[in-house]
Amino acid sequence: MIRRLVKYGDSALHRRAEDVEEITPDIRRLIDDMVETMYAAPGIGLAAPQVGVPLRIFVVDLSVGKQSDDLIVMVNPTFSDREGMQLQEEGCLSVPGFNATVARPARVITTGLSREGVEQTVEGNGLLARALQHEMDHLEGTLFVDRLRGVKRDMIVRRIQKLRRSGKW
Ligand code: NI
């Protein structure tokens, strides 16, 4: 089932998500819905807070469903290593119509549980490293806009506020 995406300004996006205590059938259904919602958007990543669920789950698929082994499901993820630096344009399904250059580590190693509850470690470089960190940020209540500084951030926030006031957000 495709779930409704919440946008910048919704409280679910701006607070820390909770650990998943147990991978129940409901959790697996949520994960399947997140994957379906990500592919429909379409996007390369989606975190549970983006569908209004404050749990530490994200999904990433750089192929957007074209290659089945590209799908990464992470429950209760943590980073064990981050190194280097990359600067690339980034957007977010919760901040539609906006993007900005964000600095992030170039390589990450993340560990978490799979959909089946098996511990797994994923190493990401370049775009995959960026996607893993972007989604992990969502679990902390941080959006890419929050990582910007000064004029660029102010401009995006002001334009979103204007859209919200006119009911177009
Ligand atoms: Ni996002």
Side-chain angles (χ1 to χ4, degrees):
M1 186 184 82
I2 294 171
R3 301 209 184 191
R4 192 177 70 87
L5 291 166
V6 297
K7 292 183 192 168
Y8 185 99
D10 188 294
S11 64
L13 291 174
H14 302 281
R15 62 187 170 113
R16 190 179 187 276
E18 304 284 328
D19 278 332
V20 174
E21 299 285 335
E22 191 191 346
I23 301 182
T24 60
D26 276 352
I27 293 290
R28 278 197 280 270
R29 202 166 304 124
L30 167 65
I31 290 168
D32 295 345
D33 287 354
M34 285 171 59
V35 172
E36 198 180 336
T37 305
M38 169 174 72
Y39 290 162
I44 61 168
L46 189 74
Q50 294 184 273
V51 292
V53 179
L55 290 174
R56 300 182 77 77
I57 304 170
F58 69 69
V59 295
V60 165
D61 184 345
L62 297 189
S63 81
V64 199
K66 292 197 174 70
Q67 289 174 37
S68 58
D69 39 347
D70 277 7
L71 176 63
I72 296 165
V73 174
M74 276 286 181
V75 178
N76 299 342
T78 55
F79 286 125
S80 54
D81 198 23
R82 279 184 276 192
E83 61 177 36
M85 204 276 272
Q86 56 170 319
L87 272 175
Q88 291 293 331
E89 281 254 308
E90 196 167 312
C92 178
L93 294 174
S94 299
V95 196
F98 295 92
N99 48 51
T101 302
V102 182
R104 300 213 182 251
R107 176 177 168 272
V108 300
I109 297 174
T110 177
T111 301
L113 299 177
S114 70
R115 183 183 177 281
E116 279 67 46
V118 177
E119 189 171 289
Q120 56 180 356
T121 296
V122 173
E123 182 182 333
N125 291 284
L127 181 60
L128 181 56
R130 171 168 298 279
L132 293 169
Q133 292 172 88
H134 177 111
E135 300 315 325
M136 188 74 97
D137 267 0
H138 275 300
L139 307 185
E140 298 301 322
T142 301
L143 301 185
F144 80 89
V145 179
D146 303 318
R147 293 205 169 272
L148 306 177
R149 302 231 168 132
V151 181
K152 182 75 185 171
R153 182 190 166 143
D154 293 347
M155 192 189 76
I156 293 179
V157 170
R158 266 203 310 275
R159 285 176 59 194
I160 291 173
Q161 283 167 347
K162 204 173 155 193
L163 287 167
R164 290 186 82 182
R165 277 197 302 273
S166 59
K168 291 175 185 156
W169 187 246

